[in-house]
Amino acid sequence: MMLIPCPWCGPRNEVEFHYGGQADVACPRDPDAVSDAEWARFLFFRANPMGAFTERWMHRAGCRRWFTVRRDTVTHEIRPVGAEQERAVTV
Amino acid sequence: MSGSFRLAEGGRIDRDRPVAFRFEGRDYQGCAGDTLASALLANGVHQVGTGIRHGRPRGIASAGAEEPSALVQIVKPFPEPMLTATTVELRDGLEAHGLPGQGRLAADPDPARYDAMHAHCDVLVVGAGPAGLSAALAAARAGARVVVADADTEFGGGLLGSGELLDHAPAADWVRRVTAELARGPDVRLLPRTTVFGHYDGNYLVALEDRGPDALTRQRTWHIRAREAVLATGAHERPLVFADNDRPGTMPAGAARTYLHRYGVVAGRRAVVFTTDDGAYPAALDLWGAGAEIAAVVDARPEAPPFWARRCAEARIPVLPGHAVVGTSGEEHVTAAHIAAFDPDSGTIGAADPQACDLLLVSGGWNPAVHLYSQAGGPVAFDGAAGAFLPAGSVPGVHPAGAASGLRTTAQCLSSGAVAGVQAASRLGLEAAAAPRPETDAHPVPKGRPLWRVPDPDTEAPGARQFVDLARDATVADIGRAVGAGLTSVEHIKRFTTVGTGHDQGKTSGTLSTGIIAELLGTDPSEVGTTTFRAPYTPVAFAALAGRERGDLYDPVRVTAMHDWHVGHGAPFENVGQWKRPWYYPRRGEDMEAAVLRECRAVRTGVGMQDVSTLGKIDVQGPDAAAFLDLVYTNMMSTLKVGRIRYGLMCTADGMVFDDGTVMRTGENRYLLTTTSGNAAHVLEHLEDWLQTEWTHLRVHLTSVTEQWATIALAGPRSREVLARVAAGIDLDNAEFPFMSWRNGAVAGRRARVCRISFSGELAFEVNVPWWHGRHVWEALYEAGGPFGITPYGTETMHVLRAEKGFPIVGQDTDGTVTPQDLGMGWAVSRKKADFIGRRSFSRPDTARTDRKQLVGLIPAAGEGVLPEGTQLVETRVLPEPPVPMLGHVTSSYRSAVLGTPFALALVRGGRDRIGQTVYGHVGDRLVPVEITDPVFYDKEGARRDG
Amino acid sequence: MTADLYGASPLAARADALARHSAPEGVQGVRIAEVPFTAQVALRVDPRGGAAERIGTALGAALPGRPGQVARTDRVLVLGLGPDEWLVVGSEGTAPELQDTLTAALDGAHGAVVDVSAHRTIVRVSGPKARDLLNTGCALDLHPRVFGADQCAQTLLARAAVILLCRETDPADFWVFVRASYARYLADWLIDATEFDG
């Protein structure tokens, strides 16, 4: 049971969260300016590294905020990233 | 077997509290404090069951959880399959019998209660032996919140069974003092009878507590989140592998020592001790001191340890260095050990000489219980001197200590436990110091020499009776066959031979098999490694994991404010997500089909009412609310006027239909959305995702209000008349209150919002009142509708009515691969908006194909019944050879009162171009002709919605 | 009369089952009772803006700066639920005036004020064993030093999403806010949980 640091509610059990997959997959600003292949890449292609992975979670049972963490997919060690880090609170 | 093997005194059992029990149909007596195994041994019973593959007699082969062979089925006080006799606490009236390697589930349901408890602590100490207690003491004295869990009925671990002195007094005195001090701590929780069986991410450890016969719950699963974990889990003594090493009466030397000191039981009258490790000597001497005859200490090493050899000489115990036990005699019990000269370097053995005995003690060294450490991600490495895998490297917040980290003496264990406790507390910022270590016996640190197997004198079938895993009846010969077949990975060999796959998960056989594989491959055990140490450490009943989440509490049941009314009116319920929705309301003598036809007819010709409170509701507010909704719906929402309602369709970015519902504009900057019942939470998450991460510039707030409102649909040509009777203040006239608009007002004296929305095509209203008033307003409408024959209807009728109108249900007629265009709902896709979620995907080559599966109607040929939902459709009257080209499948299918025929909706390849064609539904072994039609079957002009 | 004004609370149908548990002495050291019909208003506003400050002034207590914190006045409890989200809880019947107060203080600034009084009901769980009982289905650390008086958390209790509010630590007194549709499930689960022994 991973302990995931919600930047707002503090560390909580994994079951309280919804997984959002790879972070920083930006929706193309002008969808019409990208090719079908590029659009498909945005829709369907995600990294699956062994090791450090920047990924999104949403605190479903808590504050419903989306946030980004860096998780080692081997050890499940999790570090907060992004602006939320500075505002991190502990319960 | 005559006489008792129980000593007149000594041990931690209570001779004044005899316990009567029954085993294999015979009555016996033990003492309070016994395990079933110790009580059997006290009565001279060694054989417990038989082996799983060869049916050979099997006895008690340990004194703890590592037991590979003494499997019993408990009959009373409650049926439990397949426990180990060494861990069953003896209780009055216990009735059990031995097993042939596997048990049987009881046929009767288990009436016991099981529950769960969540706990948090600074330091969790697993194991309450010398290391664990020292760690707990150091952490508790530093002010940490401490939990101590130990599988045994009392704390002390190995100290209870070793007869050692601490500070010149029995070690149990020290255990009692430390336990008492811990128990006084304000933030210390002591959990005896509790096995920590899994170590998961972030120091989340799960344990099973046996709560004894008097507790309200039989077992409790503990979920413990520890900031630091001290793993003082001890070690298991390793057996030795030689021919016929499975005979009852054969057990590890340390187990016999435990039976002696803990239970006052001398497991035999005349023992042979076979060892490659110094640790067997004190066991031999202790048994000798208790009156047993020690026929010989057979040491496979070329030289016996001088310290212990001297002690044996004083006791006149023969010591035979450079010898090995190469076989045994006996049937249900060992009667002799066959001793031969042995050179461990060359592997040569001499002629065997049988030595009579009724107890054969073995010691091949010790395997630290590294299971939890390994589960926590800790690496283990083979240590040649110890002949075992020891914790290596480090895991933050995890501290192996004592015998679990490979230490051998009590002094070492006490010290390492204290160090672990201090380290754990220090990592938490607490000031900690180790308490003075109690004085221990001044014995030398035991040494050993790994011996994976003794040469087999049997040259015809070598290794076939040399047992490696008693639980699986796996032998050296089996491993030889696996290696001979070309397997080199320990994981593959495990699966080939089943070594380590028994109830004990190879606690005593794992390292042995690694050693034997290494020998056979001519490599080092460190190269072979171990199999994975998976949770659970010991078997756990599913009932214990389920806890109280069974029966009615298995999963939440969500109900509406009107639920009891539906129950009172005989409705069966349909599960929609976690919601219970009334399915239909049968009258006396009606089956489902008759009830649904009657309900449908009532709505089409009179008036019906339905509880639609389960629809998800989301309040949307903010200056950019309109812009936001234009982005998330495929159709335009910004042009909706306050007071009006619009149907809305949502797609995901891949252009597939995700949800639908209505959008009500309740203010200039405020909307109320509805979602499908089962999808409300997902829609909110989807919207928050885009709002929080993609469109952070939009000033919009979303609030779930699903349960704020109870919602009642009133549908049918007479619905206006019914509503008028209880909503006098609202002008219900078509002109004043047109289709797809809403008004506030009082309904049955309660503040309400009334909408003109129809999901049936008929004139219809939806009345929203605060949840508290739902039941009152429902009953008021039911009463007002009395003169019009108002008919409550359920989800089945709602489905038929909407299907007659060709309205798809997201999740039933769609499955995540269906676009709005596929549904024939291109009209709901804006061509004016610059962008919205999913728009770009509509022009992807795959999405733009014209031969995609499209929603169409189906009418089965005359005389055919209702097509089962899911029916596959094919083109030809006769099935061609496989693979059969499939056209699509039926998504919704009903009998229609107004159409007078069964009908269906289906997704069909290029379906709209096939309207008028006949295709075939594969039903059972028949092909049923069906005509493809427009999906709108009824009131194509939409003339009925205004009444 | 309450019944006329407010209809039926979500746990009215469990009144019989709860009667024994709602008595002052409770069952197994835990008292379980519904606190129905409280006024509850969801508030969303930028915590850094002037509107948040005006709302604090109007309520008589600054909006709690962090989720999990609770502000208390004579009139209301303000539960911090998210970085820009609060639940304002007042006594029965005060929802309209609370909404007016909040809307007036917003004064046209971007924010949201939504009446959610009927969306959730409250189950009060109190008594010396309340903490243990909650921990049979709640994974949070409820130790008084960790989750003390005037702290709240959105979390899971059994399989229901709840807002947990600690009102007092000794003897323990919790309010469990639960959505109306889940209220019976949660009450049944809590009643079942009292068949335990610490």
Side-chain angles (χ1 to χ4, degrees), chain B residues 268-273 287 292-297 355-361:
Chain B
R269 312 242 189 255
R270 180 179 158 92
V272 167
V273 180
L287 260 79
E293 188 186 343
I294 307 297
V297 175
Q355 180 68 252
C357 65
D358 64 350
L359 183 64
L360 175 52
L361 302 186

Side-chain angles (χ1 to χ4, degrees), chain C residues 64 66 68-72 77-80 149-152 164-166:
Chain C
R66 291 197 319 212
Q69 293 180 331
V70 177
R72 202 200 275 253
L77 284 169
V78 186
L79 281 60
D150 289 339
Q151 275 186 269
C152 69
L164 203 59
L165 167 68
C166 179

Side-chain angles (χ1 to χ4, degrees), chain A residues 8-9 11-13 15-16 59-65 87-91, chain C residues 44 66-67 81-85 139-140 146-147 151 153-156 161-162:
Chain A
W8 306 108
C9 302
R12 295 290 182 88
N13 283 349
V15 291
E16 293 199 0
H59 194 187
R60 170 190 275 162
C63 61
R64 296 200 327 272
R65 293 303 177 279
R87 301 178 302 211
V89 293
T90 47
V91 166
Chain C
R44 300 285 302 271
R66 291 197 319 212
L81 299 186
D84 61 354
E85 181 174 359
L140 290 193
V146 179
F147 193 73
Q151 275 186 269
Q154 296 189 83
T155 187
L156 295 171
V162 298

Side-chain angles (χ1 to χ4, degrees), chain B residues 401-473:
Chain B
S405 55
L407 300 173
R408 294 294 306 268
T409 69
T410 300
Q412 291 171 325
C413 290
L414 289 163
S415 298
S416 90
V419 167
V422 168
Q423 278 177 350
S426 306
R427 277 173 51 91
L428 300 170
L430 298 168
E431 244 177 72
R437 174 162 69 75
E439 204 177 312
T440 56
D441 295 337
H443 294 160
V445 175
K447 289 189 167 55
R449 169 176 175 154
L451 172 63
W452 304 121
R453 55 177 177 143
V454 173
D456 194 343
D458 180 353
T459 48
E460 283 182 19
R465 287 175 298 139
Q466 293 188 316
F467 289 90
V468 180
D469 185 344
L470 298 184
R472 303 299 315 183
D473 261 2

Side-chain angles (χ1 to χ4, degrees), chain B residues 120 211 220 548 564 578 707, chain C residues 139 181-182 184 192 197-198:
Chain B
H120 294 255
R211 294 176 52 81
R220 169 171 289 172
R548 297 198 292 114
D564 293 335
Q578 292 172 322
E707 279 101 322
Chain C
S181 67
Y182 285 97
R184 288 189 189 187
D192 182 73
D197 32 19

Side-chain angles (χ1 to χ4, degrees), chain C residues 43-58:
Chain C
L43 169 67
R44 300 285 302 271
V45 68
D46 182 349
R48 292 157 302 191
E53 214 175 303
R54 289 196 298 277
I55 288 170
T57 308

Side-chain angles (χ1 to χ4, degrees), chain C residues 64-187:
Chain C
R66 291 197 319 212
Q69 293 180 331
V70 177
R72 202 200 275 253
T73 74
D74 294 345
R75 277 175 67 207
V76 292
L77 284 169
V78 186
L79 281 60
L81 299 186
D84 61 354
E85 181 174 359
W86 295 266
L87 185 69
V88 182
V89 183
S91 55
E92 192 174 316
T94 60
E97 70 186 69
L98 278 177
Q99 288 183 85
D100 290 347
T101 302
L102 295 170
T103 307
L106 265 182
D107 193 21
H110 169 47
V113 173
V114 185
D115 182 7
V116 289
S117 304
H119 185 59
R120 295 188 188 91
T121 190
I122 297 170
V123 185
R124 183 181 175 194
V125 181
S126 54
K129 286 282 182 188
R131 216 171 272 118
D132 286 337
L133 182 124
L134 291 173
N135 267 144
T136 65
C138 171
L140 290 193
D141 189 355
L142 301 180
H143 192 288
R145 282 204 304 269
V146 179
F147 193 73
D150 289 339
Q151 275 186 269
C152 69
Q154 296 189 83
T155 187
L156 295 171
L157 178 57
R159 288 173 177 268
V162 298
I163 304 170
L164 203 59
L165 167 68
C166 179
R167 290 162 54 81
E168 299 292 343
T169 56
D170 190 20
D173 186 350
F174 293 91
W175 274 7
V176 182
F177 294 68
V178 59
R179 288 165 73 145
S181 67
Y182 285 97
R184 288 189 189 187
Y185 158 76
L186 194 72

